Amino acid sequence: AWRTTLGVFQLVRGQLSYVDRSVKPPVLLALEEVEGKVTNLSSDPKVRSTVDLKARVGAAPLAITGTVNPLQAEAYTDVAVKSKGIELTPLSPYAGKHLGYLLEKGKLDLDLAYKIQARALQAGNVVKVDQLTLGDRTDSPDATSAPVKLGLALLRDKDGVILLDLPIDGNLDDPEFRYGKVVWRAVLNVLVKVA
């Protein structure tokens, strides 16, 4: 079989801009100060490539580290994604369209870990949203009919933090989500607020 090997792939002082004009106003996001290196990129199933990528999303740092082998048929991935303090207000047009409310403020922390081996998936998704505040109501026809403000109030703790811990296990063709921690945290938040 054809073998492909690339010793080092490196990004220095990169920038990536994303514009979505499907919503009004358009969503504009940018990754800046992108520095990264992928070493030993190979189609050989025995070789693991290392990934080390760092960037800034606004003022917030973003890091992606781990090992991958994307060039083989049964891809291997063991990657962690971490970020702290991503400003959510640039995503306000999405919230207006899908939630029915614009975003007034809020920050996002990510602690994600994904491992895929022989199509078996193990993932840890810890998402923290701090001080998420909804702004003006929109009349979007795509907005959910669910009680958004009530749902956020149930998830928010006494300090205004929403913590979602959603592990995923299973096969890539049939992953299983475990919502237990999210539900128990919402129940605990309600009990604390009532007390």
mmCIF file of all heavy atoms in Angstrom, residues 24 92-103 135-143:
data_model
loop_
_atom_site.group_PDB
_atom_site.id
_atom_site.type_symbol
_atom_site.label_atom_id
_atom_site.label_comp_id
_atom_site.label_asym_id
_atom_site.label_seq_id
_atom_site.Cartn_x
_atom_site.Cartn_y
_atom_site.Cartn_z
ATOM 1 N N LYS A 24 -28.464 37.073 10.834
ATOM 2 C CA LYS A 24 -28.381 38.531 10.820
ATOM 3 C C LYS A 24 -28.278 39.032 12.247
ATOM 4 O O LYS A 24 -29.120 38.676 13.070
ATOM 5 C CB LYS A 24 -29.618 39.142 10.172
ATOM 6 C CG LYS A 24 -29.834 38.703 8.744
ATOM 7 C CD LYS A 24 -28.856 39.341 7.825
ATOM 8 C CE LYS A 24 -29.198 38.919 6.393
ATOM 9 N NZ LYS A 24 -28.116 38.908 5.507
ATOM 10 N N SER A 92 -24.077 35.847 19.722
ATOM 11 C CA SER A 92 -25.422 36.331 19.998
ATOM 12 C C SER A 92 -26.405 36.126 18.833
ATOM 13 O O SER A 92 -27.559 35.774 19.067
ATOM 14 C CB SER A 92 -25.374 37.807 20.395
ATOM 15 O OG SER A 92 -26.632 38.245 20.823
ATOM 16 N N PRO A 93 -26.003 36.307 17.572
ATOM 17 C CA PRO A 93 -26.957 36.059 16.495
ATOM 18 C C PRO A 93 -27.474 34.609 16.461
ATOM 19 O O PRO A 93 -28.640 34.376 16.133
ATOM 20 C CB PRO A 93 -26.165 36.388 15.223
ATOM 21 C CG PRO A 93 -25.143 37.383 15.675
ATOM 22 C CD PRO A 93 -24.769 36.943 17.066
ATOM 23 N N TYR A 94 -26.623 33.628 16.806
ATOM 24 C CA TYR A 94 -27.085 32.236 16.882
ATOM 25 C C TYR A 94 -28.113 32.062 17.995
ATOM 26 O O TYR A 94 -29.126 31.384 17.834
ATOM 27 C CB TYR A 94 -25.915 31.284 17.135
ATOM 28 C CG TYR A 94 -24.989 31.089 15.971
ATOM 29 C CD1 TYR A 94 -23.615 31.055 16.165
ATOM 30 C CD2 TYR A 94 -25.467 30.930 14.676
ATOM 31 C CE1 TYR A 94 -22.736 30.870 15.102
ATOM 32 C CE2 TYR A 94 -24.605 30.753 13.609
ATOM 33 C CZ TYR A 94 -23.239 30.719 13.829
ATOM 34 O OH TYR A 94 -22.379 30.535 12.778
ATOM 35 N N ALA A 95 -27.835 32.676 19.154
ATOM 36 C CA ALA A 95 -28.776 32.591 20.269
ATOM 37 C C ALA A 95 -30.098 33.244 19.888
ATOM 38 O O ALA A 95 -31.176 32.714 20.185
ATOM 39 C CB ALA A 95 -28.185 33.249 21.513
ATOM 40 N N GLY A 96 -30.030 34.384 19.228
ATOM 41 C CA GLY A 96 -31.258 35.058 18.797
ATOM 42 C C GLY A 96 -32.071 34.210 17.855
ATOM 43 O O GLY A 96 -33.306 34.168 17.940
ATOM 44 N N LYS A 97 -31.413 33.507 16.972
ATOM 45 C CA LYS A 97 -32.118 32.677 15.999
ATOM 46 C C LYS A 97 -32.691 31.421 16.635
ATOM 47 O O LYS A 97 -33.838 31.056 16.378
ATOM 48 C CB LYS A 97 -31.169 32.297 14.863
ATOM 49 C CG LYS A 97 -31.813 31.416 13.810
ATOM 50 C CD LYS A 97 -30.890 31.117 12.654
ATOM 51 C CE LYS A 97 -31.605 30.253 11.625
ATOM 52 N NZ LYS A 97 -30.759 29.956 10.473
ATOM 53 N N HIS A 98 -31.907 30.720 17.460
ATOM 54 C CA HIS A 98 -32.319 29.400 17.951
ATOM 55 C C HIS A 98 -32.935 29.420 19.350
ATOM 56 O O HIS A 98 -33.759 28.562 19.671
ATOM 57 C CB HIS A 98 -31.136 28.438 17.916
ATOM 58 C CG HIS A 98 -30.618 28.221 16.530
ATOM 59 N ND1 HIS A 98 -31.321 27.546 15.572
ATOM 60 C CD2 HIS A 98 -29.456 28.616 15.941
ATOM 61 C CE1 HIS A 98 -30.625 27.523 14.441
ATOM 62 N NE2 HIS A 98 -29.490 28.166 14.643
ATOM 63 N N LEU A 99 -32.545 30.366 20.209
ATOM 64 C CA LEU A 99 -33.093 30.436 21.558
ATOM 65 C C LEU A 99 -34.208 31.475 21.682
ATOM 66 O O LEU A 99 -34.996 31.437 22.611
ATOM 67 C CB LEU A 99 -31.996 30.773 22.581
ATOM 68 C CG LEU A 99 -30.857 29.768 22.718
ATOM 69 C CD1 LEU A 99 -29.863 30.250 23.763
ATOM 70 C CD2 LEU A 99 -31.389 28.392 23.075
ATOM 71 N N GLY A 100 -34.219 32.447 20.762
ATOM 72 C CA GLY A 100 -35.224 33.501 20.823
ATOM 73 C C GLY A 100 -34.793 34.688 21.657
ATOM 74 O O GLY A 100 -35.576 35.612 21.881
ATOM 75 N N TYR A 101 -33.529 34.697 22.130
ATOM 76 C CA TYR A 101 -32.992 35.794 22.923
ATOM 77 C C TYR A 101 -31.563 36.074 22.477
ATOM 78 O O TYR A 101 -30.806 35.147 22.201
ATOM 79 C CB TYR A 101 -32.953 35.450 24.415
ATOM 80 C CG TYR A 101 -34.310 35.243 25.030
ATOM 81 C CD1 TYR A 101 -34.872 33.977 25.074
ATOM 82 C CD2 TYR A 101 -35.021 36.317 25.560
ATOM 83 C CE1 TYR A 101 -36.124 33.783 25.638
ATOM 84 C CE2 TYR A 101 -36.273 36.129 26.131
ATOM 85 C CZ TYR A 101 -36.819 34.860 26.165
ATOM 86 O OH TYR A 101 -38.053 34.670 26.715
ATOM 87 N N LEU A 102 -31.195 37.353 22.442
ATOM 88 C CA LEU A 102 -29.804 37.711 22.200
ATOM 89 C C LEU A 102 -29.001 37.485 23.475
ATOM 90 O O LEU A 102 -29.575 37.350 24.557
ATOM 91 C CB LEU A 102 -29.711 39.174 21.769
ATOM 92 C CG LEU A 102 -30.411 39.527 20.452
ATOM 93 C CD1 LEU A 102 -30.365 41.024 20.213
ATOM 94 C CD2 LEU A 102 -29.796 38.770 19.287
ATOM 95 N N LEU A 103 -27.683 37.418 23.345
ATOM 96 C CA LEU A 103 -26.813 37.256 24.515
ATOM 97 C C LEU A 103 -26.300 38.611 24.958
ATOM 98 O O LEU A 103 -25.764 39.375 24.158
ATOM 99 C CB LEU A 103 -25.625 36.351 24.178
ATOM 100 C CG LEU A 103 -25.940 34.906 23.833
ATOM 101 C CD1 LEU A 103 -24.649 34.158 23.518
ATOM 102 C CD2 LEU A 103 -26.695 34.227 24.941
ATOM 103 N N GLY A 135 -30.351 38.708 26.651
ATOM 104 C CA GLY A 135 -30.747 40.089 26.406
ATOM 105 C C GLY A 135 -32.148 40.162 25.837
ATOM 106 O O GLY A 135 -33.055 39.455 26.275
ATOM 107 N N ASP A 136 -32.308 40.996 24.831
ATOM 108 C CA ASP A 136 -33.616 41.238 24.232
ATOM 109 C C ASP A 136 -34.153 39.991 23.535
ATOM 110 O O ASP A 136 -33.404 39.200 22.969
ATOM 111 C CB ASP A 136 -33.519 42.380 23.209
ATOM 112 C CG ASP A 136 -33.155 43.706 23.861
ATOM 113 O OD1 ASP A 136 -33.467 43.875 25.060
ATOM 114 O OD2 ASP A 136 -32.569 44.552 23.165
ATOM 115 N N ARG A 137 -35.482 39.878 23.564
ATOM 116 C CA ARG A 137 -36.165 38.776 22.897
ATOM 117 C C ARG A 137 -36.209 39.057 21.392
ATOM 118 O O ARG A 137 -36.353 40.198 20.971
ATOM 119 C CB ARG A 137 -37.577 38.635 23.456
ATOM 120 C CG ARG A 137 -38.319 37.443 22.918
ATOM 121 C CD ARG A 137 -39.669 37.308 23.631
ATOM 122 N NE ARG A 137 -40.439 36.225 23.073
ATOM 123 C CZ ARG A 137 -40.292 34.950 23.396
ATOM 124 N NH1 ARG A 137 -39.410 34.607 24.308
ATOM 125 N NH2 ARG A 137 -41.017 34.015 22.831
ATOM 126 N N THR A 138 -36.045 38.011 20.605
ATOM 127 C CA THR A 138 -36.169 38.139 19.149
ATOM 128 C C THR A 138 -37.444 37.421 18.713
ATOM 129 O O THR A 138 -37.990 36.609 19.443
ATOM 130 C CB THR A 138 -34.965 37.508 18.417
ATOM 131 O OG1 THR A 138 -34.955 36.105 18.673
ATOM 132 C CG2 THR A 138 -33.658 38.126 18.868
ATOM 133 N N ASP A 139 -37.894 37.719 17.539
ATOM 134 C CA ASP A 139 -39.089 37.056 17.001
ATOM 135 C C ASP A 139 -38.678 36.074 15.908
ATOM 136 O O ASP A 139 -39.302 36.010 14.846
ATOM 137 C CB ASP A 139 -40.073 38.100 16.457
ATOM 138 C CG ASP A 139 -40.635 38.976 17.562
ATOM 139 O OD1 ASP A 139 -40.889 38.428 18.655
ATOM 140 O OD2 ASP A 139 -40.810 40.184 17.342
ATOM 141 N N SER A 140 -37.643 35.316 16.174
ATOM 142 C CA SER A 140 -37.129 34.372 15.184
ATOM 143 C C SER A 140 -38.104 33.209 14.992
ATOM 144 O O SER A 140 -38.536 32.590 15.966
ATOM 145 C CB SER A 140 -35.773 33.836 15.628
ATOM 146 O OG SER A 140 -35.365 32.770 14.802
ATOM 147 N N PRO A 141 -38.431 32.880 13.747
ATOM 148 C CA PRO A 141 -39.300 31.713 13.509
ATOM 149 C C PRO A 141 -38.605 30.388 13.814
ATOM 150 O O PRO A 141 -39.259 29.366 13.994
ATOM 151 C CB PRO A 141 -39.647 31.832 12.020
ATOM 152 C CG PRO A 141 -38.547 32.656 11.429
ATOM 153 C CD PRO A 141 -38.078 33.573 12.515
ATOM 154 N N ASP A 142 -37.274 30.414 13.917
ATOM 155 C CA ASP A 142 -36.511 29.194 14.208
ATOM 156 C C ASP A 142 -36.281 28.989 15.710
ATOM 157 O O ASP A 142 -35.676 27.995 16.109
ATOM 158 C CB ASP A 142 -35.140 29.243 13.513
ATOM 159 C CG ASP A 142 -35.275 29.309 12.002
ATOM 160 O OD1 ASP A 142 -36.155 28.623 11.462
ATOM 161 O OD2 ASP A 142 -34.503 30.061 11.378
ATOM 162 N N ALA A 143 -36.751 29.915 16.539
ATOM 163 C CA ALA A 143 -36.507 29.829 17.981
ATOM 164 C C ALA A 143 -37.278 28.661 18.582
ATOM 165 O O ALA A 143 -38.398 28.334 18.170
ATOM 166 C CB ALA A 143 -36.913 31.128 18.662
#
